[in-house]
Amino acid sequence: MAEAGSRETLSTDVLIVGAGPAGLSAAIRIKQRHPELAVTVVEKSAELGGHILSGAVMDPRGLDALLPDWRLKGAPVGPDVTSDTYHYLTQSGDFGLPHWMMPPQVRTKGAVIVSLGHLVRWLGDEATALGVDIFPMTSAVDVLGGQGAPVRGIITGDLGRDHNGNPKDSFAEGIALEAKYTLIAEGARGSLAKKIIADFDLAGEPQKYGLGIKEVWEIPAERHSPGKVDHYLGFPLDNATSGGGFVYHAEDRKLYVGLVTYLDYADPTLSPFGEFQRFKAHPSVAPLLKGATRLSYGARAVTAGGWQSIPTLAFAGGGLIGCAAGFMNAPRLKAIHNAILSGIGAADAVADAIAAGRKHDVIADFGKRVMQTGIADELQAVRNVKPLWSRFGTVLGAIAGGVEMWATAILGRSLLGTLHHKGPDHAALKPRNAVAGRTYDRPDGQLSFDRAASVYLSNLSHDEDQPVHLVLADPAVPVRDNLPVYGEPAPLYCPAGVYEVAEAGGQPVFRIHAANCVHCKTCDIKDPAQNITWVPPEGGSGPNYTGM
């Protein structure tokens, strides 16, 4: 936490950090009910949607609640889901699960396939039309306030510092943005949310995460079935590694292909990027991509801890919303609707507090207002699924999770009570000498690709003459500690080629290629020494996703 000092200071009524579905929904809701309030949204990407990535099959409940006429307004959604099939893959086999077997908690009535990037750009237009001030290319690097004091806003990042932190000719100091209340909507593992959760002691059980890797392909019309949705368990991940793949047939011959690898995996030689390449080579996926064109690539951490891992949402001066709070429903692989609903509940709580003449305090009913939008009921009903996967592996865990969800649906309560997560994801890694080790085939350039060719499709923009935004608490740890024990897993868990263990003068050296970073946050989560901290680079840096 920091004070404004000599920085220019601007004031607003409500400040929202992050122009994703949660942040923009909160802004829209406030302006719908209280048009007189000043609402400001800051977003670190160069354009709205530039840093956002999701599968995505959207449950429309959130958008229905926020903008009931969203279809008439022309919201840029893709086709309605026409089929949703769950599969279990072996190396060469595919076993589709009958729809009647699927518990009601994982079914979605009226679901639509969307590009979340397109959707948030549209939500941004809706917000702007209501008078919301949105500032892209603006990194929030710290919260405004003294140690232990209420949050009064944020500090934005400086522009024009060189690699060593010295001002260049183009230097412009960041400003202070003051607000009566500040909503943190940065997405999973946001830097301010991480700081606030620690400073205000808000954490529940350790949050669990997955790394989602996604590509957009354009495929021949004869293979395209608009609205068709397929979810996959099993191959390429082994039974001890949780996660799954997806293939969604979107509009205009677009195919969304992805793999989520949960980051509590134990093998330090596992590469989520490498596993994704293997997934695309499976006989159920590869024929769809033959002769097709790969258009986009991206990666992003997602929350997976569910009900047990939700922190206290309110802090003095604001609250946490969306994936910053961890509202992802992991069994359904859906979070957009809960992000929107959390924005609605938060907006109502904040607007009512301001109307009562309050500011900078703890809104006592903030969490209740957010959770009663339907988020609590949904996440409570699936709360034991992720712990069961972690305990019993994919096969037995999926069976146990299915039985648990059916029992909960029929009886109205869980027979298991509430199971707990074992610990943070970084603590799950085994030493390198405790595993056999994995190797991955060289990419063929048709279905599988290397990181450099993939990151190129993320449209990265990053001035290399700026401070490195991947901060090592102790620069010696990667080689001194991680390398002999774990083989230094950073080059493997990173999906963008940011980290490298090279040799100089006959000795291993750890190198950071920060300009490759796609802002997935995996290193901040999975580093076994917790030595890497992701902080925002200059505003506008990073990927500029299109259609993700």
Side-chain angles (χ1 to χ4, degrees):
M1 301 180 77
E3 293 292 353
S6 61
R7 294 178 179 87
E8 178 185 3
T9 300
L10 302 177
S11 296
T12 187
D13 290 317
V14 182
L15 176 62
I16 300 169
V17 181
L24 291 172
S25 298
I28 289 169
R29 178 71 166 192
I30 291 170
K31 279 294 192 178
Q32 287 173 334
R33 295 186 61 219
H34 295 274
E36 75 282 359
L37 292 180
V39 181
T40 301
V41 180
V42 298
E43 166 59 41
K44 62 184 174 66
S45 65
E47 298 178 1
L48 296 197
H51 287 178
I52 205 157
L53 180 153
S54 185
V57 173
M58 182 182 72
D59 183 333
R61 288 191 301 127
L63 213 48
D64 287 342
L66 180 70
L67 297 164
D69 56 348
W70 56 273
R71 288 187 184 271
L72 294 176
K73 284 177 170 285
V77 300
D80 294 340
V81 172
T82 57
S83 67
D84 187 353
T85 306
Y86 284 78
H87 307 252
Y88 180 78
L89 300 182
T90 63
Q91 188 162 353
S92 59
D94 182 338
F95 301 90
L97 303 178
H99 186 70
W100 59 264
M101 288 182 59
M102 306 314 298
Q105 294 97 322
V106 300
R107 304 179 190 179
T108 303
K109 183 179 181 180
V112 291
I113 298 174
V114 301
S115 156
L116 187 54
H118 292 335
L119 183 63
V120 299
R121 276 188 282 274
W122 180 79
L123 287 172
D125 291 340
E126 293 293 308
T128 300
L130 291 171
V132 176
D133 294 315
I134 302 176
F135 296 98
M137 296 187 68
T138 305
S139 295
V141 298
D142 209 342
V143 292
L144 187 61
Q147 191 65 37
V151 171
R152 306 194 316 275
I154 65 163
I155 304 291
T156 69
D158 295 341
L159 299 176
R161 289 191 181 275
D162 67 17
H163 186 80
N164 296 317
N166 300 315
K168 297 186 287 190
D169 292 342
S170 59
F171 176 74
E173 188 176 38
I175 66 172
L177 285 171
E178 287 189 329
K180 294 173 181 175
Y181 292 101
T182 302
L183 297 178
I184 306 299
E186 301 168 297
R189 196 68 168 197
S191 55
L192 291 193
K194 181 181 174 183
K195 181 188 296 288
I196 288 170
I197 288 170
D199 287 351
F200 288 92
D201 194 22
L202 305 179
E205 293 190 22
Q207 184 58 266
K208 310 295 286 183
Y209 295 93
L211 173 60
I213 301 176
K214 175 186 174 182
E215 291 177 346
V216 179
W217 290 68
E218 186 174 81
I219 66 173
E222 62 270 18
R223 291 182 225 141
H224 188 243
S225 303
K228 185 174 188 291
V229 167
D230 292 286
H231 292 107
Y232 301 91
L233 294 175
F235 182 89
L237 302 176
D238 60 40
N239 190 58
T241 305
S242 299
F246 61 85
V247 175
Y248 303 155
H249 292 250
E251 75 282 0
D252 299 329
R253 296 194 291 121
K254 300 296 189 301
L255 195 72
Y256 299 164
V257 184
L259 180 74
V260 176
T261 305
Y262 289 114
L263 293 178
D264 55 359
Y265 65 81
D267 187 343
T269 67
L270 184 145
S271 163
F273 179 87
E275 298 297 330
F276 178 51
Q277 308 312 309
R278 297 178 65 217
F279 171 67
K280 289 182 291 179
H282 190 274
S284 292
V285 180
L288 290 169
L289 304 179
K290 184 178 181 181
T293 302
R294 192 173 66 137
L295 302 177
S296 301
Y297 168 87
R300 185 68 170 92
V302 299
T303 59
W307 177 255
Q308 296 91 318
S309 299
I310 296 172
T312 300
L313 301 181
F315 53 84
L320 304 168
I321 58 176
C323 285
F327 295 141
M328 170 85 166
N329 183 328
R332 291 179 76 199
L333 201 59
K334 290 176 177 58
I336 299 172
H337 65 294
N338 281 343
I340 294 172
L341 292 171
S342 73
I344 292 172
D348 290 347
V350 166
D352 288 351
I354 293 175
R358 297 163 56 188
K359 65 178 180 179
H360 302 158
D361 61 346
V362 177
I363 302 175
D365 65 345
F366 182 92
K368 179 180 179 181
R369 301 282 286 273
V370 169
M371 300 307 288
Q372 70 185 8
T373 60
I375 295 172
D377 289 342
E378 177 177 342
L379 295 186
Q380 282 180 329
V382 298
R383 66 187 182 273
N384 290 327
V385 176
K386 182 64 175 73
L388 287 168
W389 285 349
S390 298
R391 283 168 169 77
F392 298 112
T394 298
V395 176
L396 291 179
I399 293 171
V403 171
E404 156 74 1
M405 285 189 282
W406 269 115
T408 301
I410 293 170
L411 301 176
R413 62 183 180 86
S414 171
L415 297 177
L416 301 177
T418 298
L419 302 178
H420 300 287
H421 299 303
K422 293 182 178 180
D425 291 336
H426 72 268
L429 276 184
K430 294 180 179 178
R432 174 63 184 86
N433 62 13
V435 301
R438 302 171 190 235
T439 58
Y440 294 91
D441 293 338
R442 293 179 63 86
D444 60 18
Q446 297 179 353
L447 293 178
S448 58
F449 303 88
D450 62 20
R451 286 171 172 82
S454 299
V455 169
Y456 176 78
L457 295 180
S458 298
N459 298 319
L460 282 171
S461 175
H462 189 103
D463 182 359
E464 295 198 36
D465 191 21
Q466 64 171 295
V468 173
H469 68 283
L470 302 153
V471 181
L472 301 181
D474 182 348
V477 162
V479 171
R480 185 191 67 209
D481 300 338
N482 285 353
L483 186 61
V485 178
Y486 301 103
E488 183 43 79
L492 290 169
Y493 61 59
C494 173
V498 171
Y499 300 103
E500 176 189 14
V501 177
E503 186 175 298
Q507 296 297 318
V509 293
F510 187 71
R511 292 176 178 161
I512 300 176
H513 306 287
N516 288 351
C517 181
V518 294
H519 298 198
C520 72
K521 317 292 180 61
T522 302
C523 56
D524 194 296
I525 298 164
K526 190 60 175 174
D527 175 36
Q530 289 296 277
N531 187 54
I532 302 173
T533 298
W534 186 98
V535 299
E538 283 192 0
S541 299
N544 189 18
Y545 293 136
T546 55
M548 296 294 266

